[in-house]
Amino acid sequence: MGVAASLLGIVIWALHFGLVYGGQALACEVGRPSIVMPLVIGASVVALALLLVLAVVARRSRGGFLGGLAVGIAAFSALAVVWEAAPVLALPAC
Amino acid sequence: MTPTQALPNPLPRPEGELEALEEVWKRPRGWRFVTVVNNNWIGVLYLGTAGLFCVFAVILSLLMRAQLTVGGNDILEAGTYNQVFTVHGTAMMFLFAVPAVEALGVYLLPAMLAARDLPFPRLSAYAFWAYAIGGFFFFLSLFWGVAPDGGWFMYPPLTGKEYSPGINADFWLLGIGFIEISAIAGAIEIIVGVLRNRPPGMTLGRMPIFAWAMLVFAVMIVFAFPAVILATILLELERAFDWPFFLSARGGDPLLWQHLFWFFGHPEVYIIFLPAAGAVSMIVPAMAGTRLVGYGLVATALVATGFLSFGLWVHHMYATGIPSLSLAFFSAASFAVAVPTGVQVFAWIATLASGRPRMEVPMLFVIGFLFIFVLGGLTGVMVAVVPFDWQAHDTYFIVAHLHYVLIGGMVFPLLAGLYYWAPLASGGGLRYGRWVFWLLFGGVNLTFFPMHVAGLMGMPRRVWTYPEGMGLELWNILSTIGAGVSALGIVLLIADLAKNFRMSSGGTDSNPHKAGSLEWLPQGNYNTRSIPLITSRDPLWDQPGLAAQVEAGQHFLPGTVSGRRETLVTSAVDAAPQYIAIVPGPGWAHVIAAVGTAGFFLALTVQWVMISAAFGAVALAAVLYWLWTGTDLGPVRGPADIGGGYTLPLYVTGRDNLGWWAVVVLMLVDGTVFGCVAFTHIFLWLSNGPESWPPSGTTLPGLMAPAISAALVAASAAVVMLSDAVLKRGGRWAVAALLLVALALLGAGMGLDLQALWEAGVRPTAHAFGASLYANQFWQLLHLGIIAVMAMYVVARIAAGLVGAVRRVSFDVVRLFWFYVVGQALAGLALTHLFPRGAGVA
């Protein structure tokens, strides 16, 4: 488990956050509020799946300290992804 | 084999070995002391200067408290009050908090990592002097009434030319230029130092938590500071040349500033907090006499806090009319970041519970930190809730919250660290700590707790007075009394330092706190006599006899092998020995460069353009002289034995070289600034709406010109590759000629694009569209200038016979940066010519 691989969770979180925030702003700007919910939920499902794969691979690789770091970062990222996506279920899209 | 036989170097050590080491690392005496570069001295000077600036900023806060003691007071006029609170906030953030934690890292990291020094000592000395001189003049602006007065976050349009016509705002925008430079210099130093200068055997998983915290801190600076660097450039371009980035009448948007500022400003809070948390993670185990509970979790939590904090910036902008779903994303992210912070707090509590904590002064400050910081964190969760924030926004509740977070999260841990590490820095400890603690703990709570109430009653922040008869009197009087009590604590702290702290070359013979980390090994200017082989996270607890072995020279590199200052370079993950790097000693060049840098920005502020240019030229010349004489020395001798069966080279090229790593970090900084340029363009596009991007009446040049530009720029990279191949075969003049050709190609490509844009009639002053395109041009041409200087430097080194097939680090570094500049130029062309076309279609 290399340093870059152990930090992959950050990249997944950042892409998810950028996509959700930027995508929603863009969709509202061009007058397409209906795509916000599917976009946010779809992006979140993909991000969570990737984080799960990352955590499983990191555990199986017996990567020592960096492997543990990868799992921990994936867990924090997953928590943030779920929390950040949740408001879309309760609030109007734009 | 017994353990003593397994040590890297045998006894007795050759005669004169220690004396030679001491001679090489001797500090300059008398007036030459200003040339000192060693971290043991620069770190303390840095910390002392940050402390001095903190005291100046505290004096300003006392003036404000005096003014607010009763309603309708007239100690400060409204205009002066604006300057005072702006300088107070700006100085506390930029001149105290960031430099202070950076200084702590500069001072402690080499000792904790048993490195002889940081990898680029002159860089940190340069950063220190630029900061010290620039910061001093920044404060002086108050005495002429030209200090910035737009609040520490400087929102336009208030800070635009129309509403702030004087030079006050420029003092902020240009005046903190030097602090941006020194923060980034420090970040490069710390990232490379933590990753490459650890002792053999200290894998990432054995690194002290403080080093983890400093690593995350430095990486955060790399990604956060670029946003404020670009923001200040844009606002200054608007003020000086009327490029309307933030003027809505011409397509600009004041919210752009808020996005850029808080993309820096929120991580900034964690930039300040994480090193302090790292210090606490060192102090708690030592005071409790037991290992840190959850080492891996704490390291993970530091990394997680670092990156999640980049998703919070909009929570400073709840009241700006952004759609509620967008706000909810940031509200949720603000809750998420509380989780890793909570993990750390629980780890400290569990460590205290599992050991027998000694209630010494550092421990008192740690408990004070937990109390104050947790309260600040709780009000932080309150204001992360959007509807609550709408009520509390811009009131004293926020003032109370941010002071609880920053004083609790940074000042108390720093003071814990001061009392904890003082014996290391001065040979003896400080004495009045308990009094200082109780005065500050009581004073801080008495000052800031009533502000919650005043804020909830509706008292707005940043207003010089308030009407009587609204129930605000009691809370304000309590706050002012509290400020006085805190001031007494600070006076006592200064007295303690003046009486009991003496700068020394560092190290104690004893381990006064019975701690497990390496800074408590016997030390001198060169830090440890020999560089220990590490087999555990708490080496002084788990490796008996280590201190005596290290001091006797039984570990790695017990002397100097080249007769110069050296430090051991190890691999980033496993800390396997790789090479011996020669590090520079005292010199004048970096001091002159620092004077030039500070002078450049300050003269520019008061619009002395020629004097500013002269200072800039002096700084550049000094930097070039320092590089020429102090870096890329080549293989001064063959590989040397450091003990333990390792024979290491003193010169390596390519990806293992420390300079290469420094350039990679610099590229991340520049790439992030460019990312912010692209964000600016895309944000303004969204803000204007696709139909007016470009605005009617503005047309971009045809695609032919940018295609030729792209081809020329790419060709320059190809020519640099060719010069690399020629250099490998031992070419000399051909390499110089190829570099000049490559420079001409790059210049032609960029120049052609600028010309095409201008001839198509796009102007930076007409509309934010043009302004954002020329901001991109500005950034690209700045890099052309940097590459021109670098190319000429290498050509000159070739002419002097200092670059060849073997001695080629200077060339490698320039080549790497060249490729970056080419990539950035191509991305810039796409941003200018392709994005508006694609976006227009959408």
Side-chain angles (χ1 to χ4, degrees), chain B residues 89-99 101-102 152 172 176 179-180 183 217 220-221 223-225 228 261-275 305-306 309-310 312-313 316 405-406 410:
Chain B
T90 306
M92 281 297 193
M93 295 304 268
F94 289 106
L95 297 180
F96 165 59
V98 176
V101 289
E102 197 160 308
W152 88 277
W172 194 96
I176 65 158
I179 200 72
E180 290 163 351
F217 155 91
M220 288 180 73
I221 283 186
F223 291 108
F225 266 74
V228 77
F261 186 85
W262 290 116
F263 188 76
F264 147 79
H266 196 83
E268 161 87 347
V269 177
Y270 292 88
I271 285 174
I272 294 165
F273 167 65
L274 290 185
T305 312
S309 72
F310 280 90
L312 311 184
W313 78 93
H316 296 265
V405 171
L406 292 170
M410 187 266 172

Short mmCIF file of all heavy atoms in Angstrom, two decimals, chain B residues 89-99 101-102 152 172 176 179-180 183 217 220-221 223-225 228 261-275 305-306 309-310 312-313 316 405-406 410:
data_model
loop_
_atom_site.label_atom_id
_atom_site.label_comp_id
_atom_site.label_asym_id
_atom_site.label_seq_id
_atom_site.Cartn_x
_atom_site.Cartn_y
_atom_site.Cartn_z
N GLY B 89 -7.26 41.74 13.69
CA GLY B 89 -7.61 40.44 13.11
C GLY B 89 -6.56 39.96 12.12
O GLY B 89 -6.12 38.81 12.16
N THR B 90 -6.14 40.85 11.25
CA THR B 90 -5.16 40.48 10.23
C THR B 90 -3.85 40.04 10.88
O THR B 90 -3.26 39.02 10.49
CB THR B 90 -4.91 41.68 9.30
OG1 THR B 90 -6.15 42.12 8.78
CG2 THR B 90 -3.99 41.30 8.16
N ALA B 91 -3.41 40.82 11.86
CA ALA B 91 -2.14 40.50 12.49
C ALA B 91 -2.23 39.19 13.26
O ALA B 91 -1.32 38.36 13.20
CB ALA B 91 -1.72 41.64 13.43
N MET B 92 -3.33 38.99 13.98
CA MET B 92 -3.46 37.75 14.74
C MET B 92 -3.42 36.53 13.80
O MET B 92 -2.80 35.53 14.12
CB MET B 92 -4.76 37.75 15.54
CG MET B 92 -4.68 38.58 16.80
SD MET B 92 -3.45 37.92 17.96
CE MET B 92 -3.85 38.82 19.45
N MET B 93 -4.10 36.63 12.66
CA MET B 93 -4.14 35.48 11.76
C MET B 93 -2.83 35.32 10.99
O MET B 93 -2.26 34.25 10.93
CB MET B 93 -5.30 35.61 10.77
CG MET B 93 -6.66 35.58 11.41
SD MET B 93 -6.94 34.12 12.41
CE MET B 93 -7.70 33.02 11.25
N PHE B 94 -2.39 36.42 10.33
CA PHE B 94 -1.27 36.29 9.40
C PHE B 94 0.10 36.51 10.05
O PHE B 94 1.09 35.98 9.59
CB PHE B 94 -1.42 37.29 8.25
CG PHE B 94 -2.53 36.94 7.30
CD1 PHE B 94 -3.72 37.64 7.30
CD2 PHE B 94 -2.37 35.91 6.39
CE1 PHE B 94 -4.74 37.31 6.42
CE2 PHE B 94 -3.39 35.58 5.52
CZ PHE B 94 -4.57 36.28 5.52
N LEU B 95 0.15 37.37 11.06
CA LEU B 95 1.46 37.70 11.63
C LEU B 95 1.73 36.97 12.94
O LEU B 95 2.85 36.94 13.42
CB LEU B 95 1.56 39.21 11.88
CG LEU B 95 1.47 40.08 10.63
CD1 LEU B 95 1.58 41.55 11.00
CD2 LEU B 95 2.55 39.71 9.63
N PHE B 96 0.68 36.41 13.53
CA PHE B 96 0.92 35.64 14.76
C PHE B 96 0.63 34.15 14.57
O PHE B 96 1.54 33.33 14.65
CB PHE B 96 0.11 36.20 15.92
CG PHE B 96 0.03 35.27 17.10
CD1 PHE B 96 1.19 34.85 17.74
CD2 PHE B 96 -1.18 34.78 17.56
CE1 PHE B 96 1.14 33.96 18.81
CE2 PHE B 96 -1.23 33.90 18.63
CZ PHE B 96 -0.07 33.49 19.26
N ALA B 97 -0.62 33.81 14.27
CA ALA B 97 -1.02 32.41 14.39
C ALA B 97 -0.26 31.51 13.41
O ALA B 97 0.37 30.52 13.82
CB ALA B 97 -2.53 32.28 14.19
N VAL B 98 -0.32 31.83 12.12
CA VAL B 98 0.36 30.96 11.14
C VAL B 98 1.87 30.93 11.37
O VAL B 98 2.46 29.85 11.48
CB VAL B 98 0.00 31.35 9.70
CG1 VAL B 98 0.77 30.51 8.71
CG2 VAL B 98 -1.49 31.20 9.45
N PRO B 99 2.53 32.11 11.48
CA PRO B 99 3.97 32.06 11.70
C PRO B 99 4.35 31.36 13.01
O PRO B 99 5.37 30.67 13.07
CB PRO B 99 4.38 33.53 11.76
CG PRO B 99 3.32 34.25 11.04
CD PRO B 99 2.06 33.49 11.28
N VAL B 101 2.88 28.80 14.60
CA VAL B 101 2.88 27.33 14.51
C VAL B 101 3.95 26.85 13.53
O VAL B 101 4.56 25.80 13.73
CB VAL B 101 1.49 26.75 14.17
CG1 VAL B 101 0.56 26.90 15.35
CG2 VAL B 101 0.89 27.35 12.93
N GLU B 102 4.17 27.67 12.50
CA GLU B 102 5.24 27.31 11.57
C GLU B 102 6.59 27.33 12.29
O GLU B 102 7.44 26.45 12.11
CB GLU B 102 5.24 28.32 10.41
CG GLU B 102 6.00 27.84 9.22
CD GLU B 102 5.60 28.60 7.97
OE1 GLU B 102 4.39 28.69 7.68
OE2 GLU B 102 6.48 29.10 7.30
N TRP B 152 -10.69 41.92 8.52
CA TRP B 152 -9.57 41.06 8.12
C TRP B 152 -9.92 40.26 6.88
O TRP B 152 -9.03 39.79 6.19
CB TRP B 152 -9.11 40.16 9.27
CG TRP B 152 -9.81 38.85 9.41
CD1 TRP B 152 -10.99 38.64 10.04
CD2 TRP B 152 -9.37 37.58 8.92
NE1 TRP B 152 -11.33 37.31 9.97
CE2 TRP B 152 -10.35 36.64 9.30
CE3 TRP B 152 -8.25 37.13 8.22
CZ2 TRP B 152 -10.25 35.28 8.98
CZ3 TRP B 152 -8.15 35.77 7.91
CH2 TRP B 152 -9.14 34.88 8.28
N TRP B 172 -3.12 46.10 3.02
CA TRP B 172 -3.48 44.70 3.30
C TRP B 172 -3.10 43.81 2.12
O TRP B 172 -2.42 42.80 2.28
CB TRP B 172 -4.99 44.60 3.56
CG TRP B 172 -5.43 43.31 4.18
CD1 TRP B 172 -5.64 43.09 5.50
CD2 TRP B 172 -5.71 42.07 3.52
NE1 TRP B 172 -6.03 41.78 5.71
CE2 TRP B 172 -6.08 41.13 4.51
CE3 TRP B 172 -5.67 41.64 2.20
CZ2 TRP B 172 -6.43 39.82 4.23
CZ3 TRP B 172 -6.01 40.32 1.90
CH2 TRP B 172 -6.39 39.44 2.92
N ILE B 176 0.46 41.77 2.87
CA ILE B 176 0.57 40.38 3.29
C ILE B 176 1.18 39.50 2.21
O ILE B 176 1.26 38.29 2.36
CB ILE B 176 -0.77 39.79 3.78
CG1 ILE B 176 -1.77 39.73 2.65
CG2 ILE B 176 -1.31 40.52 4.98
CD1 ILE B 176 -2.86 38.71 2.91
N ILE B 179 3.90 37.56 3.61
CA ILE B 179 3.54 36.49 4.52
C ILE B 179 3.08 35.27 3.72
O ILE B 179 3.30 34.12 4.11
CB ILE B 179 2.47 36.94 5.54
CG1 ILE B 179 2.46 36.02 6.75
CG2 ILE B 179 1.09 36.98 4.99
CD1 ILE B 179 3.64 36.20 7.61
N GLU B 180 2.47 35.53 2.55
CA GLU B 180 2.10 34.41 1.68
C GLU B 180 3.37 33.69 1.22
O GLU B 180 3.44 32.46 1.23
CB GLU B 180 1.32 34.94 0.48
CG GLU B 180 -0.07 35.44 0.86
CD GLU B 180 -0.72 36.33 -0.20
OE1 GLU B 180 -0.04 36.70 -1.18
OE2 GLU B 180 -1.91 36.66 -0.04
N ALA B 183 4.89 31.77 4.16
CA ALA B 183 4.12 30.58 4.53
C ALA B 183 4.41 29.44 3.55
O ALA B 183 4.58 28.29 3.95
CB ALA B 183 2.63 30.89 4.54
N PHE B 217 -0.48 20.15 8.10
CA PHE B 217 -0.47 21.63 8.10
C PHE B 217 0.17 22.17 6.82
O PHE B 217 -0.39 23.03 6.14
CB PHE B 217 0.31 22.08 9.34
CG PHE B 217 0.96 23.43 9.29
CD1 PHE B 217 0.27 24.55 9.74
CD2 PHE B 217 2.26 23.59 8.83
CE1 PHE B 217 0.88 25.80 9.72
CE2 PHE B 217 2.87 24.84 8.80
CZ PHE B 217 2.17 25.94 9.24
N MET B 220 -1.83 21.50 3.74
CA MET B 220 -3.00 22.39 3.69
C MET B 220 -2.61 23.79 3.21
O MET B 220 -3.35 24.43 2.46
CB MET B 220 -3.66 22.48 5.06
CG MET B 220 -4.40 21.21 5.43
SD MET B 220 -5.14 21.36 7.05
CE MET B 220 -6.49 22.47 6.67
N ILE B 221 -1.44 24.27 3.63
CA ILE B 221 -0.98 25.58 3.16
C ILE B 221 -0.84 25.55 1.64
O ILE B 221 -1.24 26.49 0.94
CB ILE B 221 0.36 25.96 3.83
CG1 ILE B 221 0.10 26.42 5.25
CG2 ILE B 221 1.08 27.06 3.04
CD1 ILE B 221 1.31 26.94 5.97
N PHE B 223 -2.48 23.94 -0.53
CA PHE B 223 -3.74 24.00 -1.26
C PHE B 223 -4.64 25.18 -0.85
O PHE B 223 -5.56 25.52 -1.59
CB PHE B 223 -4.50 22.68 -1.12
CG PHE B 223 -3.83 21.54 -1.85
CD1 PHE B 223 -3.19 20.54 -1.16
CD2 PHE B 223 -3.80 21.52 -3.23
CE1 PHE B 223 -2.54 19.51 -1.83
CE2 PHE B 223 -3.16 20.51 -3.92
CZ PHE B 223 -2.53 19.50 -3.22
N ALA B 224 -4.40 25.76 0.32
CA ALA B 224 -5.29 26.84 0.78
C ALA B 224 -4.75 28.22 0.42
O ALA B 224 -5.49 29.08 -0.04
CB ALA B 224 -5.50 26.74 2.29
N PHE B 225 -3.45 28.44 0.63
CA PHE B 225 -2.90 29.77 0.39
C PHE B 225 -3.05 30.25 -1.05
O PHE B 225 -3.22 31.44 -1.29
CB PHE B 225 -1.45 29.87 0.88
CG PHE B 225 -1.34 30.40 2.28
CD1 PHE B 225 -1.68 29.61 3.36
CD2 PHE B 225 -0.95 31.71 2.53
CE1 PHE B 225 -1.61 30.10 4.66
CE2 PHE B 225 -0.88 32.22 3.82
CZ PHE B 225 -1.21 31.41 4.88
N VAL B 228 -6.03 32.61 -1.59
CA VAL B 228 -5.92 33.99 -1.12
C VAL B 228 -4.86 34.75 -1.92
O VAL B 228 -4.98 35.95 -2.14
CB VAL B 228 -5.65 34.06 0.41
CG1 VAL B 228 -4.23 33.74 0.77
CG2 VAL B 228 -6.02 35.43 0.94
N PHE B 261 -11.71 33.82 -0.84
CA PHE B 261 -11.15 34.11 0.48
C PHE B 261 -11.43 32.98 1.45
O PHE B 261 -10.54 32.53 2.18
CB PHE B 261 -11.69 35.43 1.04
CG PHE B 261 -11.00 35.78 2.32
CD1 PHE B 261 -9.80 36.46 2.29
CD2 PHE B 261 -11.49 35.36 3.55
CE1 PHE B 261 -9.11 36.73 3.47
CE2 PHE B 261 -10.81 35.62 4.72
CZ PHE B 261 -9.62 36.32 4.68
N TRP B 262 -12.66 32.48 1.46
CA TRP B 262 -12.97 31.45 2.47
C TRP B 262 -12.48 30.08 2.07
O TRP B 262 -12.32 29.21 2.92
CB TRP B 262 -14.46 31.45 2.79
CG TRP B 262 -14.85 32.67 3.56
CD1 TRP B 262 -15.70 33.66 3.15
CD2 TRP B 262 -14.38 33.07 4.86
NE1 TRP B 262 -15.78 34.64 4.11
CE2 TRP B 262 -14.98 34.30 5.17
CE3 TRP B 262 -13.49 32.51 5.78
CZ2 TRP B 262 -14.73 34.98 6.35
CZ3 TRP B 262 -13.25 33.18 6.96
CH2 TRP B 262 -13.87 34.40 7.24
N PHE B 263 -12.23 29.87 0.77
CA PHE B 263 -11.58 28.60 0.41
C PHE B 263 -10.19 28.53 1.04
O PHE B 263 -9.69 27.46 1.36
CB PHE B 263 -11.46 28.44 -1.12
CG PHE B 263 -10.99 27.07 -1.52
CD1 PHE B 263 -11.85 26.00 -1.48
CD2 PHE B 263 -9.68 26.85 -1.90
CE1 PHE B 263 -11.41 24.73 -1.81
CE2 PHE B 263 -9.24 25.58 -2.23
CZ PHE B 263 -10.10 24.53 -2.19
N PHE B 264 -9.60 29.72 1.24
CA PHE B 264 -8.39 29.80 2.05
C PHE B 264 -8.76 29.90 3.54
O PHE B 264 -8.20 29.19 4.37
CB PHE B 264 -7.57 31.02 1.64
CG PHE B 264 -6.82 31.64 2.77
CD1 PHE B 264 -5.63 31.08 3.22
CD2 PHE B 264 -7.29 32.76 3.44
CE1 PHE B 264 -4.94 31.63 4.29
CE2 PHE B 264 -6.62 33.31 4.51
CZ PHE B 264 -5.43 32.74 4.94
N GLY B 265 -9.71 30.78 3.84
CA GLY B 265 -9.93 31.21 5.22
C GLY B 265 -10.43 30.12 6.13
O GLY B 265 -10.11 30.08 7.31
N HIS B 266 -11.25 29.20 5.59
CA HIS B 266 -11.68 28.16 6.51
C HIS B 266 -10.59 27.14 6.81
O HIS B 266 -10.30 26.88 7.98
CB HIS B 266 -12.99 27.48 6.15
CG HIS B 266 -13.45 26.76 7.39
ND1 HIS B 266 -14.12 27.41 8.39
CD2 HIS B 266 -13.15 25.55 7.86
CE1 HIS B 266 -14.24 26.60 9.42
NE2 HIS B 266 -13.67 25.46 9.13
N PRO B 267 -9.95 26.57 5.78
CA PRO B 267 -8.82 25.69 6.09
C PRO B 267 -7.79 26.38 7.00
O PRO B 267 -7.16 25.73 7.83
CB PRO B 267 -8.23 25.38 4.72
CG PRO B 267 -9.39 25.47 3.79
CD PRO B 267 -10.24 26.58 4.33
N GLU B 268 -7.66 27.69 6.85
CA GLU B 268 -6.74 28.46 7.69
C GLU B 268 -6.95 28.17 9.18
O GLU B 268 -6.00 28.05 9.94
CB GLU B 268 -6.95 29.95 7.38
CG GLU B 268 -6.45 30.91 8.43
CD GLU B 268 -5.00 31.28 8.24
OE1 GLU B 268 -4.31 30.60 7.45
OE2 GLU B 268 -4.55 32.23 8.88
N VAL B 269 -8.22 28.06 9.59
CA VAL B 269 -8.50 27.79 11.00
C VAL B 269 -7.86 26.46 11.41
O VAL B 269 -7.27 26.34 12.48
CB VAL B 269 -10.02 27.73 11.24
CG1 VAL B 269 -10.33 27.37 12.68
CG2 VAL B 269 -10.66 29.06 10.87
N TYR B 270 -7.95 25.47 10.51
CA TYR B 270 -7.37 24.16 10.82
C TYR B 270 -5.87 24.17 10.62
O TYR B 270 -5.14 23.41 11.26
CB TYR B 270 -8.06 23.07 9.99
CG TYR B 270 -9.48 22.90 10.45
CD1 TYR B 270 -10.50 23.65 9.91
CD2 TYR B 270 -9.77 22.03 11.50
CE1 TYR B 270 -11.80 23.53 10.37
CE2 TYR B 270 -11.06 21.90 11.97
CZ TYR B 270 -12.08 22.66 11.40
OH TYR B 270 -13.34 22.54 11.87
N ILE B 271 -5.40 25.03 9.71
CA ILE B 271 -3.95 25.21 9.54
C ILE B 271 -3.34 25.65 10.87
O ILE B 271 -2.25 25.24 11.25
CB ILE B 271 -3.67 26.23 8.41
CG1 ILE B 271 -3.93 25.59 7.05
CG2 ILE B 271 -2.26 26.80 8.50
CD1 ILE B 271 -3.84 26.55 5.88
N ILE B 272 -4.08 26.49 11.58
CA ILE B 272 -3.61 26.96 12.88
C ILE B 272 -3.81 25.90 13.96
O ILE B 272 -2.96 25.68 14.82
CB ILE B 272 -4.37 28.24 13.27
CG1 ILE B 272 -4.02 29.37 12.30
CG2 ILE B 272 -4.08 28.64 14.69
CD1 ILE B 272 -4.97 30.54 12.40
N PHE B 273 -4.94 25.21 13.88
CA PHE B 273 -5.31 24.29 14.96
C PHE B 273 -4.51 22.98 14.93
O PHE B 273 -4.12 22.47 15.98
CB PHE B 273 -6.82 24.01 14.90
CG PHE B 273 -7.25 22.84 15.76
CD1 PHE B 273 -7.12 22.91 17.14
CD2 PHE B 273 -7.76 21.69 15.19
CE1 PHE B 273 -7.50 21.83 17.93
CE2 PHE B 273 -8.13 20.61 15.98
CZ PHE B 273 -8.00 20.68 17.35
N LEU B 274 -4.29 22.41 13.73
CA LEU B 274 -3.70 21.07 13.69
C LEU B 274 -2.31 20.99 14.33
O LEU B 274 -2.04 20.05 15.08
CB LEU B 274 -3.67 20.53 12.26
CG LEU B 274 -5.06 20.18 11.68
CD1 LEU B 274 -4.91 19.56 10.31
CD2 LEU B 274 -5.82 19.24 12.58
N PRO B 275 -1.39 21.94 14.05
CA PRO B 275 -0.10 21.84 14.74
C PRO B 275 -0.26 21.92 16.25
O PRO B 275 0.46 21.24 16.99
CB PRO B 275 0.67 23.05 14.20
CG PRO B 275 0.04 23.37 12.91
CD PRO B 275 -1.42 23.05 13.08
N THR B 305 -9.28 15.62 9.10
CA THR B 305 -9.62 17.01 9.41
C THR B 305 -9.06 17.92 8.33
O THR B 305 -9.72 18.85 7.86
CB THR B 305 -9.03 17.44 10.77
OG1 THR B 305 -9.32 16.44 11.72
CG2 THR B 305 -9.59 18.76 11.22
N GLY B 306 -7.82 17.63 7.94
CA GLY B 306 -7.16 18.46 6.93
C GLY B 306 -7.96 18.52 5.65
O GLY B 306 -8.22 19.60 5.13
N SER B 309 -11.78 19.87 5.90
CA SER B 309 -11.90 21.31 6.17
C SER B 309 -11.92 22.13 4.87
O SER B 309 -12.27 23.30 4.89
CB SER B 309 -10.77 21.79 7.07
OG SER B 309 -9.57 21.81 6.35
N PHE B 310 -11.57 21.51 3.75
CA PHE B 310 -11.67 22.22 2.47
C PHE B 310 -13.10 22.23 1.94
O PHE B 310 -13.38 22.86 0.93
CB PHE B 310 -10.72 21.61 1.43
CG PHE B 310 -9.31 22.07 1.60
CD1 PHE B 310 -8.42 21.38 2.41
CD2 PHE B 310 -8.86 23.21 0.96
CE1 PHE B 310 -7.12 21.81 2.58
CE2 PHE B 310 -7.56 23.66 1.13
CZ PHE B 310 -6.69 22.95 1.94
N LEU B 312 -15.77 23.30 3.68
CA LEU B 312 -16.57 24.05 4.65
C LEU B 312 -16.71 25.52 4.32
O LEU B 312 -17.39 26.25 5.02
CB LEU B 312 -15.93 23.98 6.04
CG LEU B 312 -15.51 22.64 6.58
CD1 LEU B 312 -15.01 22.82 8.00
CD2 LEU B 312 -16.65 21.68 6.58
N TRP B 313 -16.05 25.97 3.24
CA TRP B 313 -15.85 27.42 3.14
C TRP B 313 -17.16 28.20 3.05
O TRP B 313 -17.25 29.31 3.55
CB TRP B 313 -14.89 27.75 2.00
CG TRP B 313 -15.46 27.71 0.62
CD1 TRP B 313 -15.98 28.77 -0.04
CD2 TRP B 313 -15.53 26.60 -0.27
NE1 TRP B 313 -16.38 28.39 -1.30
CE2 TRP B 313 -16.12 27.06 -1.47
CE3 TRP B 313 -15.17 25.26 -0.19
CZ2 TRP B 313 -16.35 26.23 -2.55
CZ3 TRP B 313 -15.40 24.45 -1.27
CH2 TRP B 313 -15.98 24.92 -2.43
N HIS B 316 -19.19 30.23 5.89
CA HIS B 316 -19.00 31.65 6.25
C HIS B 316 -19.91 32.54 5.42
O HIS B 316 -19.89 33.75 5.57
CB HIS B 316 -17.55 32.06 6.02
CG HIS B 316 -16.59 31.33 6.90
ND1 HIS B 316 -16.14 31.83 8.10
CD2 HIS B 316 -16.02 30.11 6.78
CE1 HIS B 316 -15.33 30.96 8.66
NE2 HIS B 316 -15.24 29.91 7.89
N VAL B 405 -12.55 29.38 19.78
CA VAL B 405 -11.89 28.36 18.95
C VAL B 405 -10.40 28.66 18.81
O VAL B 405 -9.56 27.78 18.98
CB VAL B 405 -12.56 28.30 17.56
CG1 VAL B 405 -11.75 27.42 16.63
CG2 VAL B 405 -13.97 27.78 17.67
N LEU B 406 -10.07 29.92 18.50
CA LEU B 406 -8.68 30.22 18.18
C LEU B 406 -7.82 30.31 19.44
O LEU B 406 -6.69 29.81 19.46
CB LEU B 406 -8.59 31.51 17.37
CG LEU B 406 -9.18 31.38 15.96
CD1 LEU B 406 -9.28 32.73 15.29
CD2 LEU B 406 -8.35 30.43 15.11
N MET B 410 -5.53 27.24 19.71
CA MET B 410 -4.17 27.53 19.28
C MET B 410 -3.31 28.14 20.39
O MET B 410 -2.19 27.71 20.62
CB MET B 410 -4.23 28.44 18.05
CG MET B 410 -2.91 28.68 17.40
SD MET B 410 -2.22 30.19 18.08
CE MET B 410 -0.60 30.14 17.38
#
